[in-house]
Amino acid sequence: MRNLIDILDFDTDEISALIKTAEDIMVHPEKYCDACRHRILGTLFFEPSTRTRLSFESAMLGLGGNVLGFSDSSSSSVSKGESVSDTVAVVSGYCDIIAMRHPKEGAPYPALRHSAVPVINAGDGGHYHPTQTLADLMTIHRHKSSFENLTVALCGDLKYGRTVHSLIFALARYGGVRFILISPDELKLPDFVKNGIEYTETDSLEDGIRTADVLYMTRVQKERFSDAAEYERLKNVYVLDEEKLKLAKHDMIVMHPLPRVGEISADVDDDPRCCYFEQTRCGRFIRMALILRLLSDISEPDVKRMSESFEENGRRCGNPRCITSCEQELAHRFYTDANGIVRCAYCDMGC
């Protein structure tokens, strides 16, 4: 059966098909209102969420299905020390498909190995967020018609921004895409995401915005910082306001995965270039299309993962945010990237 853990699990043709289905659902919702009748979505949210969790629930209800799950791990057996693997193994017996969010990077990998139903990664720490990327791609497609030859500026927390990582991986597969990476040194994009992309780096929003077709703003994520003082120093480093927006092209679009905490002034919300609330609406429809796709043929084989990874006696991932730091008896696995760097197969951190 197919799962969605990383946006690269779906090729560009499959993504185009999902967008086409989502757009049809927007126009003709009545055609799909019973498509998942008697089907159940399990929502396992080990980390707080508003848009992602509610849009998944709304998506399944819009398809005529039902939802069960939890929105706070403290209300589940996780609070008693139960592992991700055991939780998923149990819940997959109660539902037809699972959407899971977890604060640890790489958590979906042990989950899918123990699940009897398809697993959708709804965000794993600062790693990946493929369904947000699908919503982002749908939004871009609606405004730009094509993903090729775009200049995409990404601003803010590029280090821990899982939405940024997934969007770059998705867009890098299209011809002529260039990235402008706008961040302070402390929040620069990780090397494993930079591999193979065309990019420039700057710490100036004013400089980075001028040639962009898409500006993707992000918040500095307090929950990813262990040092509160460092967060306070960096949290307001970039603010998009009316004056800065005057520097942008007339047809540039402004995106944000939300929530925002000050990095986009409310004064620009009425600018027709601002699409972040449209993104949230696209999120519901693209998740409806994804659920339909994954439930359409349970016998379809999944994509290969970790096929080139290996175990090595004595080597352990040193990332405290990796799922290997807490999951019971999870084998530490590694792979060698194109530059010869050995990385954790769960969180992609260089070892």
Side-chain angles (χ1 to χ4, degrees):
M1 62 191 174
R2 290 291 294 271
N3 302 274
L4 179 61
I5 306 303
D6 172 356
I7 193 62
L8 298 182
D9 290 350
F10 278 28
D11 64 31
T12 56
D13 288 340
E14 290 175 311
I15 288 174
S16 294
L18 283 175
I19 293 173
K20 184 177 180 179
T21 300
E23 290 177 339
D24 191 56
I25 296 171
M26 291 181 79
V27 178
H28 303 290
E30 70 283 353
K31 290 169 50 178
Y32 301 88
C33 63
D34 287 321
C36 287
R37 189 179 182 189
H38 303 309
R39 298 289 189 96
I40 299 173
L41 168 70
T43 54
L44 309 184
F45 278 71
F46 298 82
E47 186 178 57
S49 169
T50 300
R51 276 150 300 279
T52 303
R53 181 176 60 83
L54 291 181
S55 69
F56 264 115
E57 292 181 3
S58 178
M60 193 59 169
L61 294 172
L63 294 169
N66 295 296
V67 181
L68 58 77
F70 56 82
S71 59
D72 183 351
S73 60
S74 64
S75 64
S76 74
S77 290
V78 175
S79 63
K80 303 174 184 177
E82 185 173 57
S83 66
V84 170
S85 299
D86 286 359
T87 300
V88 170
V90 170
V91 175
S92 69
Y94 304 151
C95 62
D96 299 286
I97 188 168
I98 286 173
M100 187 184 92
R101 169 168 290 185
H102 199 282
K104 293 293 186 179
E105 297 168 10
Y109 293 114
L112 70 87
R113 289 204 294 271
H114 291 83
S115 177
V117 300
V119 173
I120 301 171
N121 179 11
D124 60 320
H127 198 217
Y128 296 139
H129 196 347
T131 66
Q132 177 62 53
T133 300
L134 290 174
D136 297 341
L137 292 174
M138 182 176 176
T139 305
I140 293 170
H141 185 267
R142 285 166 59 82
H143 288 269
K144 299 297 182 181
S145 299
S146 171
F147 301 120
E148 296 188 345
N149 301 310
L150 292 176
T151 297
V152 181
L154 303 110
C155 178
D157 182 358
L158 310 188
K159 181 178 181 180
Y160 301 117
R162 57 193 174 200
T163 61
V164 167
H165 303 169
S166 289
L167 183 59
I168 288 174
F169 281 132
L171 289 175
R173 295 186 288 184
Y174 298 93
V177 176
R178 298 167 298 281
F179 298 98
I180 302 171
L181 309 176
I182 308 166
S183 71
D185 286 342
E186 295 89 340
L187 296 175
K188 281 189 173 182
L189 192 72
D191 289 341
F192 81 90
V193 187
K194 290 179 181 176
N195 286 339
I197 67 171
E198 181 182 341
Y199 69 92
T200 57
E201 291 182 301
T202 180
D203 61 3
S204 169
L205 175 56
E206 291 86 345
D207 290 345
I209 198 175
R210 296 175 188 272
T211 61
D213 300 303
V214 177
L215 173 63
Y216 197 90
M217 297 292 296
T218 66
R219 70 183 172 96
V220 176
Q221 302 175 82
K222 184 177 182 179
E223 64 269 29
R224 308 297 175 213
F225 283 78
S226 57
D227 185 339
E230 184 178 25
Y231 167 74
E232 290 296 326
R233 182 171 59 84
L234 294 171
K235 67 177 182 179
N236 293 319
V237 67
Y238 300 112
V239 178
L240 180 67
D241 55 24
E242 289 181 325
E243 287 302 307
K244 294 186 181 72
L245 203 48
K246 289 177 182 177
L247 302 172
K249 294 159 62 171
H250 74 279
D251 62 345
M252 184 193 77
I253 61 172
V254 180
M255 303 176 67
H256 192 304
L258 301 181
R260 63 175 167 182
V261 290
E263 60 278 355
I264 298 179
S265 170
D267 291 343
V268 307
D269 286 353
D270 292 331
D271 190 301
R273 292 172 290 183
C274 293
C275 301
Y276 26 89
F277 296 120
E278 179 184 350
Q279 278 173 266
T280 66
R281 292 188 289 271
C282 287
R284 176 177 185 258
F285 294 108
I286 201 71
R287 289 181 176 104
M288 292 173 79
L290 176 63
I291 290 168
L292 288 173
R293 172 68 178 81
L294 293 178
L295 290 177
S296 63
D297 184 3
I298 297 297
S299 65
E300 182 182 3
D302 199 12
V303 298
K304 291 184 178 180
R305 298 184 185 85
M306 296 192 184
S307 58
E308 302 300 325
S309 69
F310 57 88
E311 295 181 45
E312 188 172 301
N313 291 336
R315 187 189 293 269
R316 299 182 66 82
C317 177
N319 179 7
R321 296 180 299 275
C322 181
I323 188 62
T324 57
S325 68
C326 64
E327 184 74 356
Q328 182 181 2
E329 298 175 9
L330 183 63
H332 288 241
R333 300 190 65 84
F334 304 89
Y335 69 93
T336 304
D337 71 11
N339 295 320
I341 297 173
V342 176
R343 298 186 178 277
C344 174
Y346 300 95
C347 71
D348 295 296
M349 181 177 175
C351 300

